[in-house]
Amino acid sequence: MTKILTGGVAKSEVASAVAGLGLPGVEVLVSNDMDAAVQLRAGQADYFLGTCHTGAGASLGVLVGLLGSAACHTFGRSVPTAEQIEALLGEGKKVFGFAVDRVEAVVPALAQAIAVRTA
């Protein structure tokens, strides 16, 4: 089972969007950045999706500080392609940030790519 944690301004909306996809083998839970960092470091969670108004700083600030930039990526206000998402997952990125107004575009692509990779 792949565990995705959500945090930030739209954490509930992101969790609902992931859950609404009905992806087999994917569990999603609303969290916060501190708890998520602890769970990711301990291997109790696999991914974190964080949101803020710009998708740049607050969406991942604590996680970058605690897990390092090698594990984190922010899309900001951009909408990534499937190829970009796959490349980031291939690099070992587990923490993703994006703007709240991009939830509908980013979450399905990202969650589906995670589900395929971890199936």
Side-chain angles (χ1 to χ4, degrees):
M1 179 71 69
T2 299
K3 186 175 182 181
I4 299 174
L5 303 175
T6 67
V9 177
K11 61 186 172 188
S12 295
E13 293 87 343
V14 171
S16 293
V18 173
L21 295 169
L23 300 169
V26 173
E27 175 186 16
V28 63
L29 297 169
V30 173
S31 186
N32 63 60
D33 45 8
M34 283 301 290
D35 289 341
V38 170
Q39 288 187 51
L40 287 163
R41 287 179 91 174
Q44 298 169 342
D46 303 292
Y47 294 93
F48 177 82
L49 308 182
T51 53
C52 70
H53 291 286
T54 64
S59 64
L60 300 182
V62 169
L63 288 135
V64 170
L66 294 175
L67 300 177
S69 60
C72 305
H73 180 80
T74 182
F75 297 114
R77 298 200 71 245
S78 68
V79 176
T81 65
E83 293 79 17
Q84 290 169 322
I85 292 170
E86 187 55 40
L88 292 166
L89 291 171
E91 293 171 13
K93 304 290 185 189
K94 296 192 171 287
V95 177
F96 297 93
F98 47 94
V100 296
D101 64 347
R102 299 296 190 249
V103 169
E104 290 181 12
V106 174
V107 171
L110 189 52
Q112 289 170 346
I114 289 169
V116 166
R117 178 170 278 276
T118 59

